[in-house]
Amino acid sequence: MTSNGRPGLADDTDPVSILELFTIGIGPSSSHTVGPMRAANRFAMLGVADEREVVRLRCTLHGSLALTGRGHATDTAVLLGLNGWEPETVDPDAVPHILAGIRANQRIALGGGRDLPFDEGRDLAFDPSFLPEHPNGMLFEAVFADGSRMEQRYFSIGGGAIVEAGGAGARRNVRLPHPFGSGADLLQIGCDTGLSIGEIVRANESAFRDPAETDAKLDAVRAAMFACIDRGLANEGELPGGLGVRRRARSIREALSGTGRAIAPSDVFEWVSLWALAVNEENAAGGRVVTAPTNGAAGVIPAVMRYYETFVPGATPAGSRQILYTAAAIGLLYKKRASISAAEMGCQGEVGVACSMAAAGLAAALGGSNAQIENAAEIGMEHNLGLTCDPVGGLVQIPCIERNTMGAIKAINAAYLALRGDGGHVVSLDAVIETMRQTGEDMRSQYKETSLGGLAVNVVEC
């Protein structure tokens, strides 16, 4: 058993960059779409690099990837990855055309190169059995012309991150100036150095690249988040998947922006909810989104950040960066000490974590102390504990889209509650993270992204 509690997976001791937490990809799911696409692409590149001639490919999706894979576009992600595409580079608008060509011709361009026969019905299998290492497992196989075979198992562990079975891979030769593994560590480092939590993360990022470059890349992340909001506000129509869910963001925006309408105190909350709704409607449609820390929870941080820039007097670009740096510190703790995968933790590991991250980030941008920031993060998760993941029809739509609106509002509430105190509180962030981990382990599998329980079965029955 490794230190992260998962048999056969490497323990998570490699330093993780903020740019691995906030990655730009496509919807609808980081664990079920982005991760499998990366795994398929990586395996395809192994085939390209091998001196033997590949004559056939096969992929078997296991566990949660099999049970909700079609609704989460895991099947199409595998096809795109084997064909040489990556989440960061594929054009979402081109995806239907690419897939139509693969399926019509029953051929895959291995890694974007040589064509191979690929019969989706034969060569892409859905096996609901769970592999022991992780609920999101994939087995890729390549057959060579000489009859030999190559196999590799990958696991999509949340947020689009993947690992190989056995943890194969080189370790980074990176030494962080302020390594931390707990909320207590962050508070102690802050006391010792006088740095804020966001400044600690920014200093650590200097081990990967120049700080000015990290700032610029975070500005690009912010721009991608806001572009996703704007696309979601502009688009309309029915979301794919067969549930008949219609986009609402555009009509709500028009109602809130209507001339002659009296401004109500509740408008702030409506706008925040709208911005989160817009992002997750885009995600459900397979659009370009930022994992924050996952696709299913991608609307929370952008909505809170736009709240800051729109409604907080004196908001600055530096404040928005502080939101992202601080949120990343909290997200890294959940990733190290528990999981950000709904297949392991339920939705408390996605929307709950995003709420905790956003609460901390907003508290930081509003001038909170490190203790208040840590308190905001704790409040954000404490009131999401036990949140299940039970998507109707295996689609990232119900309850996922609306759930992001709730996460964003809770995050703002948590930040202001923490700022009204002095940072002292009974439950620590570390205690609530451990509670989330234990709750996730105790949660029955039908409530963890399998669509075998909860709303997923009761809505259908109704």
Side-chain angles (χ1 to χ4, degrees), residues 104-126:
N105 299 320
Q106 293 195 344
R107 301 191 73 79
I108 285 281
L110 179 65
R114 187 171 61 84
D115 271 4
L116 297 176
F118 192 90
D119 181 341
E120 190 174 352
R122 178 195 66 182
D123 296 325
L124 181 57
F126 292 77

Side-chain angles (χ1 to χ4, degrees), residues 340-358:
I340 58 172
S341 167
E344 288 188 290
M345 295 288 113
C347 199
Q348 60 174 358
E350 296 204 19
V351 169
V353 171
C355 177
S356 183
M357 293 168 65

Side-chain angles (χ1 to χ4, degrees), residues 287-298:
R288 178 76 63 203
V289 298
V290 178
T291 60
T294 67
N295 282 30

Side-chain angles (χ1 to χ4, degrees), residues 120-153:
E120 190 174 352
R122 178 195 66 182
D123 296 325
L124 181 57
F126 292 77
D127 184 343
S129 66
F130 288 84
L131 298 177
E133 296 93 335
H134 193 279
N136 292 334
M138 296 161 274
L139 172 64
F140 288 90
E141 304 169 82
V143 179
F144 299 99
D146 62 5
S148 59
R149 295 174 178 266
M150 173 175 65
E151 293 186 357
Q152 182 60 56
R153 283 184 297 167

Side-chain angles (χ1 to χ4, degrees), residues 221-233 282 288 306:
V221 166
R222 172 206 167 275
M225 287 178 168
F226 281 15
C228 186
I229 290 176
D230 293 339
R231 286 194 306 273
L233 294 176
E282 272 297 290
R288 178 76 63 203
R306 184 160 278 192

Side-chain angles (χ1 to χ4, degrees), residues 3 10 18 29 43 122 219 268 298 304 376 428 447:
S3 67
I18 188 173
S29 171
F43 187 75
R122 178 195 66 182
D219 288 346
V268 173
V304 171
S428 70
Y447 300 111

